[in-house]
Amino acid sequence: MKESPQAKKLEEILRSSKLVSGGFMGDDPRSLSEIISADAAELSRLGKTADEVAARMQEITDKAIAVLGNWVKIDQYREAKVDEAKGTLVCPWPHPGRFAKRVTTLKLIESGETMFWSDLNIHLIVEHGFFEGYGSAFRIEPAKLVSTIF
Ligand SMILES: [Zn+2]
């Protein structure tokens, strides 16, 4: 598929370390549209929509923000903690607005398995269907996400 100049430019920004260290694409050789459609297919196989997963991520983040830096019980299976760093992030698409450098860590109490995401991850998933490329520090695997948040 031939990419438009805008899509090419966006992909360049996503691969660069201009906005986040290491970039959003990691070492993923696939194009942006290939990454997005593969994850959309995976999500639909899992029976969830981007809206549903993003809403649940936001709900967990909001609960943990109340006790910033401490673990909070989300329900009988899960605990979460939010850590905040100084500064903000911008959406690479771009989108107006800035996102706090906030990372939510979710832990399954029984297995100890963890998963983490930033506020920007939530935005990228709900607005752009983008879970980031393989090898990116904040890449989110839809299957792991769905199995830990629901
Ligand atoms: Zn955006």
Side-chain angles (χ1 to χ4, degrees), residues 90-96 99 120 123-124 127-128:
V90 294
C91 172
W93 253 255
H95 250 119
F99 300 86
L120 186 56
H123 172 85
L124 293 175
E127 293 294 333
H128 309 291

mmCIF file of all heavy atoms in Angstrom, residues 90-96 99 120 123-124 127-128, ligand 1:
data_model
loop_
_atom_site.group_PDB
_atom_site.id
_atom_site.type_symbol
_atom_site.label_atom_id
_atom_site.label_comp_id
_atom_site.label_asym_id
_atom_site.label_seq_id
_atom_site.Cartn_x
_atom_site.Cartn_y
_atom_site.Cartn_z
ATOM 1 N N VAL A 90 3.299 15.029 24.393
ATOM 2 C CA VAL A 90 2.306 15.457 23.405
ATOM 3 C C VAL A 90 1.949 14.277 22.511
ATOM 4 O O VAL A 90 2.735 13.350 22.351
ATOM 5 C CB VAL A 90 2.833 16.620 22.529
ATOM 6 C CG1 VAL A 90 3.039 17.870 23.367
ATOM 7 C CG2 VAL A 90 4.105 16.234 21.799
ATOM 8 N N CYS A 91 0.761 14.353 21.935
ATOM 9 C CA CYS A 91 0.351 13.323 20.985
ATOM 10 C C CYS A 91 1.090 13.563 19.676
ATOM 11 O O CYS A 91 1.069 14.664 19.145
ATOM 12 C CB CYS A 91 -1.151 13.373 20.751
ATOM 13 S SG CYS A 91 -1.654 12.270 19.409
ATOM 14 N N PRO A 92 1.734 12.512 19.125
ATOM 15 C CA PRO A 92 2.518 12.692 17.898
ATOM 16 C C PRO A 92 1.679 12.908 16.640
ATOM 17 O O PRO A 92 2.232 13.224 15.601
ATOM 18 C CB PRO A 92 3.324 11.392 17.811
ATOM 19 C CG PRO A 92 2.571 10.397 18.621
ATOM 20 C CD PRO A 92 1.855 11.160 19.685
ATOM 21 N N TRP A 93 0.360 12.738 16.696
ATOM 22 C CA TRP A 93 -0.432 12.785 15.447
ATOM 23 C C TRP A 93 -0.457 14.130 14.727
ATOM 24 O O TRP A 93 -0.504 14.104 13.490
ATOM 25 C CB TRP A 93 -1.834 12.255 15.727
ATOM 26 C CG TRP A 93 -2.017 10.902 15.120
ATOM 27 C CD1 TRP A 93 -2.732 10.626 13.997
ATOM 28 C CD2 TRP A 93 -1.465 9.651 15.566
ATOM 29 N NE1 TRP A 93 -2.655 9.288 13.721
ATOM 30 C CE2 TRP A 93 -1.891 8.671 14.654
ATOM 31 C CE3 TRP A 93 -0.626 9.276 16.617
ATOM 32 C CZ2 TRP A 93 -1.527 7.338 14.764
ATOM 33 C CZ3 TRP A 93 -0.279 7.949 16.734
ATOM 34 C CH2 TRP A 93 -0.729 6.989 15.820
ATOM 35 N N PRO A 94 -0.474 15.283 15.219
ATOM 36 C CA PRO A 94 -0.522 15.653 16.629
ATOM 37 C C PRO A 94 -1.963 15.949 17.026
ATOM 38 O O PRO A 94 -2.841 16.047 16.193
ATOM 39 C CB PRO A 94 0.285 16.941 16.642
ATOM 40 C CG PRO A 94 -0.022 17.559 15.297
ATOM 41 C CD PRO A 94 -0.311 16.436 14.348
ATOM 42 N N HIS A 95 -2.147 16.112 18.293
ATOM 43 C CA HIS A 95 -3.429 16.479 18.869
ATOM 44 C C HIS A 95 -3.137 17.625 19.819
ATOM 45 O O HIS A 95 -2.086 17.629 20.446
ATOM 46 C CB HIS A 95 -3.970 15.333 19.718
ATOM 47 C CG HIS A 95 -5.147 14.655 19.127
ATOM 48 N ND1 HIS A 95 -5.129 13.333 18.796
ATOM 49 C CD2 HIS A 95 -6.387 15.110 18.819
ATOM 50 C CE1 HIS A 95 -6.312 12.999 18.296
ATOM 51 N NE2 HIS A 95 -7.098 14.056 18.299
ATOM 52 N N PRO A 96 -4.040 18.557 19.941
ATOM 53 C CA PRO A 96 -3.812 19.593 20.950
ATOM 54 C C PRO A 96 -3.852 18.963 22.340
ATOM 55 O O PRO A 96 -4.445 17.904 22.515
ATOM 56 C CB PRO A 96 -4.973 20.562 20.756
ATOM 57 C CG PRO A 96 -6.018 19.799 20.027
ATOM 58 C CD PRO A 96 -5.317 18.740 19.227
ATOM 59 N N PHE A 99 -0.193 15.566 27.874
ATOM 60 C CA PHE A 99 -0.494 14.447 28.764
ATOM 61 C C PHE A 99 0.535 14.384 29.871
ATOM 62 O O PHE A 99 1.732 14.448 29.592
ATOM 63 C CB PHE A 99 -0.513 13.152 27.957
ATOM 64 C CG PHE A 99 -1.540 13.189 26.867
ATOM 65 C CD1 PHE A 99 -1.238 13.746 25.635
ATOM 66 C CD2 PHE A 99 -2.829 12.755 27.112
ATOM 67 C CE1 PHE A 99 -2.193 13.844 24.636
ATOM 68 C CE2 PHE A 99 -3.798 12.841 26.124
ATOM 69 C CZ PHE A 99 -3.487 13.386 24.885
ATOM 70 N N LEU A 120 -0.652 8.748 27.927
ATOM 71 C CA LEU A 120 -0.591 8.866 26.467
ATOM 72 C C LEU A 120 -0.983 7.552 25.792
ATOM 73 O O LEU A 120 -1.644 7.570 24.746
ATOM 74 C CB LEU A 120 0.808 9.319 26.027
ATOM 75 C CG LEU A 120 1.000 9.621 24.537
ATOM 76 C CD1 LEU A 120 0.011 10.666 24.025
ATOM 77 C CD2 LEU A 120 2.427 10.073 24.254
ATOM 78 N N HIS A 123 -4.699 7.488 25.398
ATOM 79 C CA HIS A 123 -5.102 8.361 24.291
ATOM 80 C C HIS A 123 -4.800 7.720 22.933
ATOM 81 O O HIS A 123 -5.641 7.716 22.031
ATOM 82 C CB HIS A 123 -4.393 9.716 24.409
ATOM 83 C CG HIS A 123 -4.596 10.590 23.211
ATOM 84 N ND1 HIS A 123 -5.701 11.399 23.075
ATOM 85 C CD2 HIS A 123 -3.854 10.757 22.090
ATOM 86 C CE1 HIS A 123 -5.619 12.038 21.902
ATOM 87 N NE2 HIS A 123 -4.513 11.664 21.290
ATOM 88 N N LEU A 124 -3.603 7.173 22.792
ATOM 89 C CA LEU A 124 -3.200 6.582 21.505
ATOM 90 C C LEU A 124 -4.098 5.403 21.135
ATOM 91 O O LEU A 124 -4.403 5.193 19.965
ATOM 92 C CB LEU A 124 -1.728 6.140 21.553
ATOM 93 C CG LEU A 124 -0.696 7.270 21.666
ATOM 94 C CD1 LEU A 124 0.714 6.701 21.819
ATOM 95 C CD2 LEU A 124 -0.758 8.205 20.456
ATOM 96 N N GLU A 127 -7.961 7.021 20.546
ATOM 97 C CA GLU A 127 -8.085 7.956 19.420
ATOM 98 C C GLU A 127 -7.467 7.426 18.131
ATOM 99 O O GLU A 127 -7.890 7.794 17.044
ATOM 100 C CB GLU A 127 -7.418 9.297 19.759
ATOM 101 C CG GLU A 127 -8.102 10.076 20.867
ATOM 102 C CD GLU A 127 -9.495 10.564 20.487
ATOM 103 O OE1 GLU A 127 -9.759 10.773 19.285
ATOM 104 O OE2 GLU A 127 -10.314 10.735 21.401
ATOM 105 N N HIS A 128 -6.410 6.614 18.253
ATOM 106 C CA HIS A 128 -5.672 6.234 17.054
ATOM 107 C C HIS A 128 -5.537 4.723 16.874
ATOM 108 O O HIS A 128 -4.938 4.280 15.909
ATOM 109 C CB HIS A 128 -4.269 6.873 17.089
ATOM 110 C CG HIS A 128 -4.308 8.349 17.368
ATOM 111 N ND1 HIS A 128 -4.812 9.253 16.473
ATOM 112 C CD2 HIS A 128 -3.957 9.069 18.458
ATOM 113 C CE1 HIS A 128 -4.745 10.488 17.001
ATOM 114 N NE2 HIS A 128 -4.233 10.389 18.214
HETATM 115 ZN ZN ZN B 1 -3.819 12.095 19.400
#
